Amino acid sequence: MTRADGDLLGSLAAVVGPQNVGADAASLRVHENDGSTLHPARPHAVVWPSTAEEVAAVVRTCAARGTPFVARGAGTGLSGGAMALEGGVVIALNRMNAILGIDAPNLRARVQPGVTNLSVSRAVAPLGLYYAPDPSSQAVCTVGGNVAHNSGGPHTLKHGVTVNHVLGLQLVLPDGDLVELGGAERPGYDLLALLCGSEGTLGIVTAITVRLLRRPAGVRTLLAAFETPQQASLAVAEVIASGTVPAALEMMDSVVVEALTAAFGFTFPEGAGALLLLEADGPLPGLDEEADALAATCRRCGALSVRLATDETERAEVWKARKRAFGALGRIARNYYTQDGVIPRTRLPEMLQRVADIGASAGLRIANVFHAGDGNLHPCILFDDRDADQRRAVLAAGAEILRACVDLGGSLSGEHGVGVEKREAMARLFTPSDLAAMAALRAAFDPAGLCNPGKILPTGGGCVEVPPRHRQAAL
Ligand SMILES: Cc1cc2nc3c(=O)[nH]c(=O)nc-3n(C[C@H](O)[C@H](O)[C@H](O)COP(=O)(O)OP(=O)(O)OC[C@H]3O[C@@H](n4cnc5c(N)ncnc54)[C@H](O)[C@@H]3O)c2cc1C
């Protein structure tokens, strides 16, 4: 690998100070992966700016030299989005982690991109407010990363994903210009919506105005245990078909139950082959009726048991199990590869069977923990990355799962983004003309192709010819 030359490092140090530039082996090593370990790529340098102006100056430095750059939040992404595929500079936003202002009467807050998701809700909790998008990684992932991935979470079924809760953005464009998008009623193109989910390819977000919601008057949380995932997925389809939109509707299968028990000592009903976590929230009148209706649907679909959390402690315990599910898998496997396909909810039983069949024929164990109400699957394929054959088998099984999602009328990604992981699969979902339109739009923002190159758009030349400027870049 080419090392960053002294000239580049000197220019970066002149902007952010030498103590905020990393080019030593340890700094580069910890930035060569995100939450997925299947697409490692080592940058030439890492910088930790403190202000939007510093970010802009770093970007201008890179642009002037033709050096690629990529924004990074907490690095919890699961699609290789924050990897420096062509080397260059990782711009780590972790030090820009201030809450700049809270405007409670107008239900909004302004935050820096490195603020963690959960700390927004924590900061406004004394005001009876919260920030709705709640990825399971919310204790560590950043709001900037959430914007880039248009992240969801258990409660986005009812309340919407990140794009529905972002009111304004400050953005450093790929040429180093600083612009404000949204923020007030502004006519013209809805660039705010475009930026949400653009995976750091159109610029670097340096401040975000988020929408705050009032805490609901009441919450009812239920845990239903089923003998089989098929019964649980039938219940999901029935709940959605009934017209009720629960605040959350999450599923965990028996492999996850085994992992949670092994890792944290959680106990679940005997014989549980699948668990559904259902939540209703809103004004008190009608809330118990909604919870009763959810419980009745589960029982009709064969639930072994349905337990209503009786107090906040019990509720927190149920959610702790769900939010620790991914981490718990580490107790039963050395590595896991999380997929992020989407399918119409009515196809859930069929799709879960397909996932099981794909795992069985590849000789791989697959755990399922996912946002069932959204039809957003997360099959986690367990493996040992020291075994090259297993790595190959895991990637093939992941691709097959995604193919099955698309074949069933679904999509490649619900919330983890395309990144490098799924870019070649984009041609299964989009026509060459669709992809060419996306490439043209990206080139309008980033004609030099330096801003997070190699992500989202296919490079294989199969169905669409992506302009070469999006494939090449030199340090
Ligand atoms: C255990 C676990 C559970 C998870 N659960 C969920 C879940 O429930 N829902 C969900 O949606 N995701 C989930 N994720 C995925 C991940 O946490 C989200 O994608 C998250 O939004 C990534 O944030 P980050 O700060 O870690 O971003 P990173 O991984 O650092 O970066 C992600 C992408 O955002 C870009 N980016 C980062 N900051 C900026 C910025 N300031 N400006 C422009 N681009 C930027 C990067 O270039 C990259 O393309 C989970 C991940 C893990 C490991």
Side-chain angles (χ1 to χ4, degrees):
M1 168 176 290
T2 320
R3 289 171 60 84
D5 60 67
D7 191 24
L8 171 68
L9 298 181
S11 303
L12 295 172
V15 174
V16 294
Q19 72 283 13
N20 292 317
V21 179
D24 56 298
S27 299
L28 302 184
R29 181 90 206 269
V30 295
H31 289 86
E32 74 177 20
N33 278 307
D34 62 359
S36 142
T37 54
L38 290 168
H39 313 278
R42 201 169 281 203
H44 292 99
V46 184
V47 293
W48 291 273
S50 299
T51 64
E53 289 69 27
E54 285 186 2
V55 174
V58 167
V59 168
R60 280 197 299 274
T61 301
C62 291
R65 302 170 53 92
T67 301
F69 55 89
V70 48
R72 185 178 175 106
T76 66
L78 292 166
S79 55
M83 298 351 308
L85 286 189
E86 298 180 7
V89 177
V90 166
I91 303 178
L93 283 312
N94 317 76
R95 295 202 181 144
M96 292 176 62
N97 61 355
I99 293 184
L100 301 169
I102 297 169
D103 179 3
N106 289 306
L107 296 175
R108 60 191 181 189
R110 179 91 161 164
V111 304
Q112 288 189 310
V115 163
T116 63
N117 173 293
L118 189 58
S119 53
V120 180
S121 284
R122 286 208 173 122
V124 299
L127 304 165
L129 304 173
Y130 75 111
Y131 176 57
D134 59 342
S136 303
S137 51
Q138 67 181 152
V140 281
C141 69
T142 66
V143 179
N146 296 170
V147 169
H149 275 169
N150 193 17
S151 297
H155 289 90
T156 50
L157 171 62
K158 178 171 176 179
H159 298 291
V161 293
T162 299
V163 68
N164 306 115
H165 299 272
V166 170
L167 301 171
L169 290 178
Q170 185 187 59
L171 181 76
V172 173
L173 291 169
D175 64 0
D177 253 12
L178 196 58
V179 295
E180 287 282 345
L181 308 177
E185 288 303 324
R186 291 186 191 177
Y189 297 109
D190 187 356
L191 297 181
L192 204 52
L194 175 64
L195 258 293
C196 290
S198 61
E199 303 189 23
T201 61
L202 304 181
I204 300 189
V205 174
T206 45
I208 305 117
T209 304
V210 296
R211 182 196 305 283
L212 302 173
L213 299 184
R214 289 190 201 291
R215 287 237 159 254
V219 181
R220 301 288 181 270
T221 306
L222 303 152
L223 188 68
F226 297 82
E227 215 173 316
T228 66
Q230 278 67 24
Q231 289 171 323
S233 43
L234 186 65
V236 171
E238 295 248 326
V239 166
I240 298 297
S242 75
T244 310
V245 182
L249 184 44
E250 300 281 304
M251 197 191 293
M252 298 180 270
D253 74 2
S254 59
V255 184
V256 177
V257 166
E258 178 192 327
L260 281 167
T261 307
F264 303 114
F266 286 110
T267 51
F268 300 102
E270 184 84 5
L275 298 171
L276 273 192
L277 196 170
L278 309 94
E279 192 157 272
D281 71 9
L284 293 178
L287 194 58
D288 287 327
E289 289 76 1
E290 187 182 334
D292 288 347
L294 292 172
T297 304
C298 289
R299 288 197 189 95
R300 231 183 7 261
C301 295
L304 297 168
S305 69
V306 185
R307 199 176 84 212
L308 174 71
T310 50
D311 56 24
E312 192 46 43
T313 313
E314 210 180 315
R315 175 176 180 251
E317 194 66 9
V318 171
W319 274 111
K320 206 193 286 176
R322 167 61 184 88
K323 301 233 165 169
R324 288 183 170 185
F326 284 106
L329 293 176
R331 186 55 71 101
I332 59 169
R334 187 181 155 90
N335 300 87
Y336 62 88
Y337 174 37
T338 309
Q339 268 303 346
D340 175 40
V342 181
I343 46 144
R345 289 162 291 209
T346 46
R347 313 297 293 269
L348 253 183
E350 191 181 345
M351 184 64 206
L352 286 179
Q353 190 54 53
R354 283 219 202 176
V355 170
D357 293 345
I358 290 168
S361 70
L364 294 164
R365 270 191 110 188
I366 302 184
N368 290 284
V369 46
F370 60 102
H371 311 307
D374 292 316
N376 183 191
L377 296 179
H378 291 324
C380 301
I381 311 173
L382 312 184
F383 71 110
D384 182 338
D385 73 353
R386 293 169 299 187
D387 179 336
D389 288 342
Q390 273 200 34
R391 278 176 80 99
R392 271 190 292 278
V394 164
L395 287 169
E400 211 177 319
I401 288 171
L402 285 183
R403 259 196 304 279
C405 290
V406 174
D407 290 348
L408 290 181
S411 180
L412 297 172
S413 173
E415 56 186 18
H416 295 172
V418 175
V420 58
E421 179 204 9
K422 293 175 210 150
R423 66 180 182 191
E424 305 308 330
M426 288 284 275
R428 289 191 72 83
L429 197 60
F430 296 102
T431 66
S433 301
D434 295 339
L435 291 168
M438 290 186 209
L441 184 136
R442 180 166 173 177
F445 274 78
D446 181 24
L450 297 175
C451 188
N452 205 3
K455 310 295 165 61
I456 302 182
L457 297 172
T459 56
C463 289
V464 64
E465 192 54 35
V466 178
R469 57 179 171 270
H470 280 298
R471 300 202 208 112
Q472 53 152 53
L475 187 73

